[in-house]
Amino acid sequence: MYKKKYFSHAVFFFLCAVLLAGCGVSRRSVIDYGKLASESFKLDRKQYFALPAVCSYYNLTWEWDGFTRIITLKNSSLDMKMYPGSTLILVNNRVENLDAPVQVYQGMIIVPESFVRFFAEEKKSAPPPQRKGGGYSIKKIVIDAGHGGKDPGAVGFGVQEKDVNLDIAKRLKSELEKSGVQVLLTRETDIFHPLQKRADIANAAHADFFVCVHANAATTASASGFEAYYLSTEHDDFSKAVQIRENAVLSFEDSTAFAASEGLNATLWDMMLSENRIESIEMANTIARGLNNILKLKTRHVSGAMFYVLKGARMPAVLLEVGYLSNPTEATHLNNGYYRQMLAEAIASGIISYKQEFELNNGFSK
Ligand SMILES: [Zn+2]
């Protein structure tokens, strides 16, 4: 009986010791801002710091573009962009969310404590440099098989686009994996995903590239060929027609879902667009070249268009239209497993040559 009591006391003291040790750990994790602490103040119940003080303390250069209102900060390994009024910042081309917005207060740019943590936590919270000089590589690609479930996409001669897309996406995955690229599919079965969810999967995976696979349709049976698109606000009439068709999936979705989940404001999107644009255009062209070289498939179009699924992706992204289901010959081809395999191999070869060229140049941007 006594023994039992002593034992329960021992357990109690042991638990207290564990709890105290735990408190010690959390106390150590409190950030020491050094001299900078005296520059902080409270606004809207959040701790804020004056941006010039943060920059001089952590050795960052900063610029404020009075026209676009974009603030750019740099040091040897970081490139950051922020916008007053927004909680979102770009850190080496990745979007990070602050717990409070960057603000202009009494004529001074101020940043919340969560921003200062990037530097104070000894780079722990900052993602590794992705750009020139940082040994940039394409390790992970997310492939999105367009449409699925209740949304068949284009249908021609009994062939449904959603099935063609999924089969090519799976074959492309296995081809890319042979070259050591990690690949994730947004869907592996015949299920419906809203457009934003597809991009969200790529964002959550921190993919280096996002590739959307689609098949096309036109009102004229003679239309044929391969097309590659990157995100752009500028488009010609031809791209616009494809864009309207591929964005039509939004009618299957809750119309407010995209706007609500979008999160980023227009300026941030513009920044993302220009940051990823060169990579996206290069990838679209290299894949089209791969198709031409291997399959001798006519490239009908490489251009920009405003595809919602690309708009949600926070990394370079392309949308491929692998052929026309409204064309009897191409529909027959696309319904053939061997042809889809050839197509997947040709697309993979384009992606791999892009990857090699990209890694050799340490990125194309800047
Ligand atoms: Zn489609």
Side-chain angles (χ1 to χ4, degrees):
M1 189 75 173
Y2 279 114
K3 265 184 188 171
K4 213 171 187 180
K5 199 172 180 183
Y6 285 130
F7 178 73
S8 65
H9 283 168
V11 168
F12 175 74
F13 285 123
F14 173 74
L15 285 174
C16 286
V18 167
L19 274 172
L20 282 170
C23 291
V25 168
S26 67
R27 206 176 293 131
R28 274 197 299 276
S29 75
V30 170
I31 291 174
D32 177 13
Y33 292 113
K35 280 185 199 162
L36 197 60
S38 60
E39 308 272 350
S40 78
F41 59 96
K42 286 257 164 119
L43 185 70
D44 303 333
R45 294 187 187 168
K46 293 279 177 190
Q47 195 180 3
Y48 270 91
F49 294 82
L51 183 66
V54 174
C55 289
S56 83
Y57 194 70
Y58 291 109
N59 223 2
L60 292 152
T61 60
W62 70 284
E63 263 174 37
W64 155 262
D65 185 327
F67 183 67
T68 61
R69 301 188 77 219
I70 292 170
I71 305 153
T72 307
L73 298 101
K74 281 181 185 169
N75 69 13
S76 56
S77 62
L78 282 171
D79 183 308
M80 302 175 113
K81 286 187 171 67
M82 56 172 76
Y83 189 76
S86 176
T87 57
L88 295 154
I89 57 168
L90 286 181
V91 184
N92 290 338
N93 208 27
R94 299 272 185 212
V95 177
E96 302 288 340
N97 210 353
L98 302 173
D99 67 346
V102 173
Q103 298 198 44
V104 178
Y105 178 70
Q106 295 182 345
M108 177 174 65
I109 299 163
I110 56 168
V111 287
E113 191 209 5
S114 51
F115 172 79
V116 185
R117 276 177 183 264
F118 274 106
F119 310 100
E121 285 187 329
E122 296 172 332
K123 296 179 187 170
K124 239 177 11 189
S125 60
Q130 299 283 322
R131 294 288 163 175
K132 200 161 185 136
Y136 189 88
S137 64
I138 296 172
K139 293 194 178 91
K140 195 189 285 177
I141 294 180
V142 169
I143 302 172
D144 173 43
H147 311 278
K150 62 184 174 183
D151 170 24
V155 181
F157 303 95
V159 187
Q160 298 195 95
E161 183 194 344
K162 63 176 183 178
D163 302 326
V164 170
N165 298 342
L166 182 59
D167 184 73
I168 293 172
K170 284 180 175 173
R171 292 172 191 268
L172 181 56
K173 177 179 193 278
S174 93
E175 286 309 309
L176 289 171
E177 282 171 346
K178 286 179 194 166
S179 300
V181 180
Q182 196 187 339
V183 180
L184 191 76
L185 297 178
T186 56
R187 67 176 179 103
E188 297 193 31
T189 53
D190 184 19
I191 51 164
F192 178 79
H193 279 327
L195 292 178
Q196 181 62 36
K197 185 175 179 186
R198 297 164 188 267
D200 285 346
I201 292 170
N203 294 337
H206 291 284
D208 299 307
F209 227 106
F210 185 47
V211 179
C212 302
V213 179
H214 285 259
N216 217 336
T219 45
T220 49
S222 59
S224 68
F226 179 86
E227 291 146 22
Y229 293 92
Y230 48 88
L231 185 62
S232 169
T233 48
E234 293 156 19
H235 49 69
D236 53 30
D237 288 346
F238 180 86
S239 309
K240 197 174 177 187
V242 183
Q243 169 191 316
I244 288 168
R245 210 181 58 69
E246 295 297 5
N247 289 341
V249 64
L250 289 169
S251 64
F252 286 94
E253 302 178 11
D254 169 6
S255 59
T256 57
F258 186 80
S261 62
E262 191 175 25
L264 298 177
N265 64 36
T267 306
L268 258 290
W269 277 121
D270 286 349
M271 280 157 53
M272 291 300 298
L273 259 172
S274 55
E275 287 283 334
N276 293 322
R277 196 186 180 86
I278 297 171
E279 284 82 359
S280 303
I281 295 172
E282 284 293 328
M283 175 71 105
N285 278 309
T286 317
I287 292 173
R289 275 200 299 276
L291 263 295
N292 278 335
N293 293 344
I294 295 173
L295 272 188
K296 308 289 173 223
L297 193 68
K298 185 177 91 184
T299 303
R300 189 181 159 103
H301 215 66
V302 177
S303 77
M306 184 57 92
F307 291 109
Y308 279 101
V309 66
L310 298 185
K311 196 171 178 239
R314 297 170 189 171
M315 71 281 303
V318 294
L319 185 143
L320 309 175
E321 295 281 358
V322 295
Y324 278 79
L325 289 171
S326 48
N327 179 298
T329 314
E330 287 203 339
T332 308
H333 282 160
L334 289 169
N335 199 26
N336 180 301
Y338 178 71
Y339 182 81
R340 291 195 298 267
Q341 178 60 27
M342 297 295 288
L343 208 49
E345 285 178 22
I347 296 169
S349 85
I351 292 174
I352 295 303
S353 55
Y354 169 86
K355 172 179 153 63
Q356 287 162 348
E357 200 184 329
F358 191 68
E359 288 170 359
L360 204 66
N361 288 301
N362 265 329
F364 294 119
S365 294
K366 296 170 190 173

